[in-house]
């Protein structure tokens, strides 16, 4: 059941992108810029204000408020619905990397906790992290045999496949993704794509 989730979410993303393109194609042309009298009876063009040019949260230096991150908004609503429909709930745990706990992090374990015989669990987590903290935990993980790989999104640090409880179709188990001021985690590397990174 869970294996179908990525394809459904991919379809949702493609549909959303198509709607955005169609909406922009149907949008009316911008109105001509207003004019106002200048010196000597001439007119001057006044450039319209572009709302999209306003600085966003990252440009103004506003960081994500960790208190707003929950197990239900860390992943997409379609995935939340699919998990809850099959009787799964989320348990919020401390965000821990090795011996280091990130107090502002959110780590969510999804599963059927009423089924004591089941071991199917999904992990999704996000936390702010300083450059110093990131360097320290990365060094610690690599010393324990974790494998670091650069990617377009940041640095992936994955547990030794021989030690992994579960792996994705590419053979990756539990993986941390370190970005600029943040870190995410999932029980597999492919699971990271299901996380809706706060502030992205």
């Amino acid at each position: 059941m869970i294996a179908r989730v990525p394809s459904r979410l991919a379809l949702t993303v493609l549909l959303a992108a198509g709607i955005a393109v169609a909406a922009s194609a149907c949008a009316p042309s911008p109105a001509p810029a207003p004019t106002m009298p200048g010196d000597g009876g001439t007119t001057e063009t006044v450039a319209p204000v572009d709302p999209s040019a306003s600085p966003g949260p990252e440009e103004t230096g506003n960081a994500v408020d960790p208190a707003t991150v929950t197990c239900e908004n860390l992943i997409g609503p379609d995935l939340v619905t699919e998990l809850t429909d099959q009787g799964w709930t989320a348990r919020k745990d401390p965000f821990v990397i090795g011996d280091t706990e990130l107090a502002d992090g959110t780590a969510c374990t999804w599963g059927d906790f009423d089924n004591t015989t089941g071991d199917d669990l999904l992990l999704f987590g996000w936390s702010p992290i300083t450059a110093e903290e990131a360097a320290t935990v990365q060094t610690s993980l690599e010393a324990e045999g974790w494998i670091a790989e650069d990617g377009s999104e940041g640095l992936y640090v994955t547990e030794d496949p021989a030690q992994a409880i579960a792996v994705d179709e590419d053979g990756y188990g539990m993986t941390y993704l370190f970005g600029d001021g943040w870190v995410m985690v999932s029980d597999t590397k492919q699971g990271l794509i299901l996380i809706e990174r706060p502030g992205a």
Side-chain angles (χ1 to χ4, degrees), residues 123 166-168 172-175 185-192:
L123 169 66
V167 296
D168 59 27
Y172 288 92
M174 184 174 178
T175 303
V185 65
S186 186
D187 50 297
T188 64
K189 185 179 180 181
Q190 287 184 350
L192 291 168

Side-chain angles (χ1 to χ4, degrees), residues 67-138:
T68 64
V69 181
T70 67
C71 292
E72 289 70 28
N73 66 22
L74 190 57
I75 55 177
D78 288 347
L79 180 54
V80 171
T81 298
E82 180 157 343
L83 295 175
T84 55
D85 282 353
Q86 66 185 36
W88 287 29
T89 56
R91 183 187 70 211
K92 185 174 180 180
D93 299 314
F95 193 112
V96 177
I97 305 176
D99 296 329
T100 302
E101 180 177 338
L102 301 177
D104 289 332
T106 296
C108 301
T109 302
W110 285 85
D112 182 359
F113 299 107
D114 292 331
N115 180 2
T116 57
T117 61
D119 58 357
D120 289 334
L121 301 172
L122 294 176
L123 169 66
F124 305 107
W126 172 88
S127 180
I129 191 171
T130 66
E132 293 77 15
E133 289 172 330
T136 298
V137 296
Q138 288 165 15

